[in-house]
Amino acid sequence: MAYDPFKKKGTKDNPYRTSGDVPLVGTVDTNTKGKYLRGNAAIKEVEKRLNRRLTPTEQSLVKREGFVDAWYLDSKGVLTRGVGQTGKYAEGDSSLSGFTAAVNDSEAKVEKQIKELGQPVTPEFKKALTSVNFQLGTDWTSKFPTAWKNMKAGDYEGAMDEIQFADPKNKPGVKSDWAKQTPDRVKDFVSSIK
C-alpha cells in the first residue's frame, strides 16, 4: 500500500491496514506525524512527546513495540495506535494518551501474578512478564490458562510448550497464534521462563 497523504490514512475512521503500511520515518518527509518509528528513534520521540525520561520498563516496551503516531490495525485486526495501545489505552487526544496508564496497569498486574506464582523470579522474567501483560493485556492468563496453570505448578516445560504450540502434545507441530504473530516476543518470554 502506497502512502497517500490526501486520503488521510492513519485516522481512526481510516486506519492503516497494518503497522507495516505506516511509512517509516524519512520515507515521506521529516515530520513524524503518521509514521512508524522503531528502536532508539521511537524512545527518543516518545520521551520528547511525554516531556520526560522513560523508565527502563517503558524504554524496553517502546523499543520492542515501536511508536506509530497514527491509527492502524494490528495483526489480529484490532484498532491500535501509539506504542501498540488498544482499547481504552488507545483513546485520547494523542497517540500517547493511554501509554502511561497501560504501563502502570501492566506493572501492577505483574506484581499480583508474581505473588500468585509464589516463588522468586528473576529480573528478566519480571521484565518479560510486564511485556506480555502490555502486549496481550492483563488478562493474558485467561488466553493461556494451561500455560499459567503449569507455571504456577512449576511445570515450566509444559508452560513453554503451551505458549509456543497450538497443540503442545503434537510438537513441534503448529505454532500458537501468538508465536506466529510475534515470534520474537514469544521467544523472549520462553527464554525468561527457562
Side-chain angles (χ1 to χ4, degrees):
M1 169 193 283
Y3 178 73
D4 183 350
F6 300 107
K7 287 190 177 180
K8 295 187 181 181
K9 291 295 292 179
T11 63
K12 191 172 185 179
D13 295 327
N14 191 21
Y16 289 99
R17 289 186 179 188
T18 70
S19 63
D21 290 339
V22 181
L24 287 169
V25 170
T27 59
V28 178
D29 59 37
T30 56
N31 179 356
T32 58
K33 181 91 172 149
K35 295 179 186 67
Y36 182 27
L37 292 102
R38 294 187 283 194
N40 290 331
I43 292 171
K44 184 177 177 181
E45 184 66 23
V46 171
E47 286 182 335
K48 180 176 130 189
R49 289 175 184 229
L50 293 176
N51 195 30
R52 66 175 175 83
R53 296 274 306 156
L54 297 178
T55 67
T57 298
E58 290 171 329
Q59 286 182 7
S60 176
L61 292 169
V62 172
K63 192 168 193 172
R64 174 57 84 190
E65 294 278 342
F67 172 67
V68 179
D69 190 19
W71 290 94
Y72 65 93
L73 301 176
D74 72 4
S75 59
K76 294 190 92 169
V78 176
L79 195 60
T80 308
R81 78 195 279 210
V83 185
Q85 297 135 234
T86 61
K88 68 181 182 179
Y89 302 114
E91 298 298 330
D93 296 343
S94 78
S95 294
L96 292 171
S97 293
F99 173 67
T100 302
V103 173
N104 290 343
D105 288 353
S106 296
E107 289 181 318
K109 189 64 173 189
V110 164
E111 294 304 322
K112 291 178 183 177
Q113 290 167 346
I114 289 171
K115 284 180 184 175
E116 281 184 49
L117 288 174
Q119 53 198 303
V121 299
T122 65
E124 293 80 17
F125 178 76
K126 186 175 180 179
K127 178 180 170 183
L129 192 56
T130 301
S131 180
V132 169
N133 278 278
F134 186 85
Q135 181 197 10
L136 297 181
T138 55
D139 65 339
W140 77 270
T141 56
S142 66
K143 297 172 188 172
F144 290 89
T146 307
W148 184 242
K149 178 182 169 187
N150 288 344
M151 287 174 70
K152 291 194 302 185
D155 179 6
Y156 305 113
E157 289 295 325
M160 291 183 289
D161 288 347
E162 288 289 333
I163 290 165
Q164 296 177 90
F165 303 106
D167 180 3
K169 292 178 175 71
N170 190 22
K171 65 180 183 179
V174 179
K175 292 183 178 181
S176 69
D177 286 344
W178 186 25
K180 287 181 205 173
Q181 292 159 0
T182 54
D184 288 340
R185 294 181 194 149
V186 169
K187 184 179 174 184
D188 289 348
F189 193 43
V190 167
S191 293
S192 76
I193 294 171
K194 288 180 183 177

